[in-house]
Amino acid sequence: GAVVSQHPSRVICKSGTSVKIECRSLDFQATTMFWYRQFPKQSLMLMATSNEGSKATYEQGVEKDKFLINHASLTLSTLTVTSAHPEDSSFYICSASGRDAGYTFGSGTRLTVV
Amino acid sequence: SQQGEEDPQALSIQEGENATMNCSYKTSINNLQWYRQNSGRGLVHLILIRSNEREKHSGRLRVTLDTSKKSSSLLITASRAADTASYFCATDPVKAAGNKLTFGGGTRVLVKP
């Protein structure tokens, strides 16, 4: 079946620094990737949708200059949290979909900003 | 914003009992999907039901869909301790650009051994 690898699974960073999270589709071409954010005991909130080779579409209220998304190839998308602050601490999950694959989720990244 | 609403928000049952959770949504959909999430982990796809289907089974899972009421239910029969997780419904809305899923609030299920 389709597999999506998300890395790192956990990261702790200092306030003001930037963190990059990678999402790779291992055995299919992901024409679209989605980035979600999840606070404890809450649901997934879609942050942005990215199509390979084009700019990401951000959901209302999500700062595109703070959450940089790159989808340069059909197997890789990255989310960079720039100038991270403690309130950015959260669980970030990517999802990928392709022509022959439904929605496949990564295992998530726990970001803690100290 | 989240389209789906799930109830109950939390459910505690004994091993062997059935667990039922419901999901309601607001707009027309192509399909509705159910996912499981263990604490601190990613989502695992359980089952997808299309808008023209009314019921679907997969192992111990039974999903129903009532498009007239814009609601779905997930039944887990003969629950096991390993079924302890959060369960989310997600809708694929007809008019959403980019085929993005919209998640419900989730139901936290605790199965006590």
Side-chain angles (χ1 to χ4, degrees), chain A residues 32 34 36 38 41-46 49 59 91 93 103 105-108 110, chain B residues 1-2 33 35 37 40-43 45 88 92 98-101 103-105 108:
Chain A
T32 307
F34 306 87
Y36 295 85
Q38 185 181 32
K41 296 185 179 179
Q42 292 189 24
S43 187
L44 282 72
M45 297 294 295
L46 181 66
T49 304
E59 295 299 301
F91 193 60
I93 307 176
Y103 301 93
F105 285 80
S107 56
R110 173 75 58 196
Chain B
S1 61
Q2 297 299 313
Q33 305 175 38
Y35 289 85
Q37 184 183 34
R41 306 294 295 274
L43 271 70
H45 181 263
F88 295 92
D92 181 0
N99 297 318
K100 54 188 180 184
L101 293 179
F103 283 83
R108 295 191 304 280

Side-chain angles (χ1 to χ4, degrees), chain A residues 11-21 65-66 68 79-85 88 111 113:
Chain A
V11 58
I12 300 173
C13 71
K14 291 185 178 180
S15 192
T17 61
S18 295
V19 172
K20 181 184 283 188
I21 302 169
D65 294 329
K66 181 167 185 62
L68 301 179
L79 166 67
T80 301
V81 183
T82 62
S83 186
H85 290 284
D88 298 325
L111 170 63
V113 184

Side-chain angles (χ1 to χ4, degrees), chain A residues 5-79:
Chain A
S5 172
Q6 186 173 341
H7 179 80
S9 58
R10 292 177 183 272
V11 58
I12 300 173
C13 71
K14 291 185 178 180
S15 192
T17 61
S18 295
V19 172
K20 181 184 283 188
I21 302 169
E22 291 189 350
C23 183
R24 292 179 186 272
S25 58
L26 299 185
D27 48 5
F28 68 99
Q29 293 187 328
T31 50
T32 307
M33 286 197 175
F34 306 87
W35 287 94
Y36 295 85
R37 181 174 183 175
Q38 185 181 32
F39 291 106
K41 296 185 179 179
Q42 292 189 24
S43 187
L44 282 72
M45 297 294 295
L46 181 66
M47 299 174 67
T49 304
S50 72
N51 294 298
E52 184 264 338
S54 61
K55 289 184 179 180
T57 302
Y58 289 81
E59 295 299 301
Q60 192 172 12
V62 178
E63 300 174 58
K64 62 180 181 181
D65 294 329
K66 181 167 185 62
F67 299 100
L68 301 179
I69 292 172
N70 182 284
H71 190 169
S73 78
L74 283 170
T75 58
L76 174 65
S77 176
T78 60
L79 166 67

Side-chain angles (χ1 to χ4, degrees), chain B residues 14-25:
Chain B
Q14 292 292 139
E15 207 165 25
E17 293 180 341
N18 296 342
T20 300
M21 58 211 87
N22 304 294
C23 168
S24 62
Y25 57 93

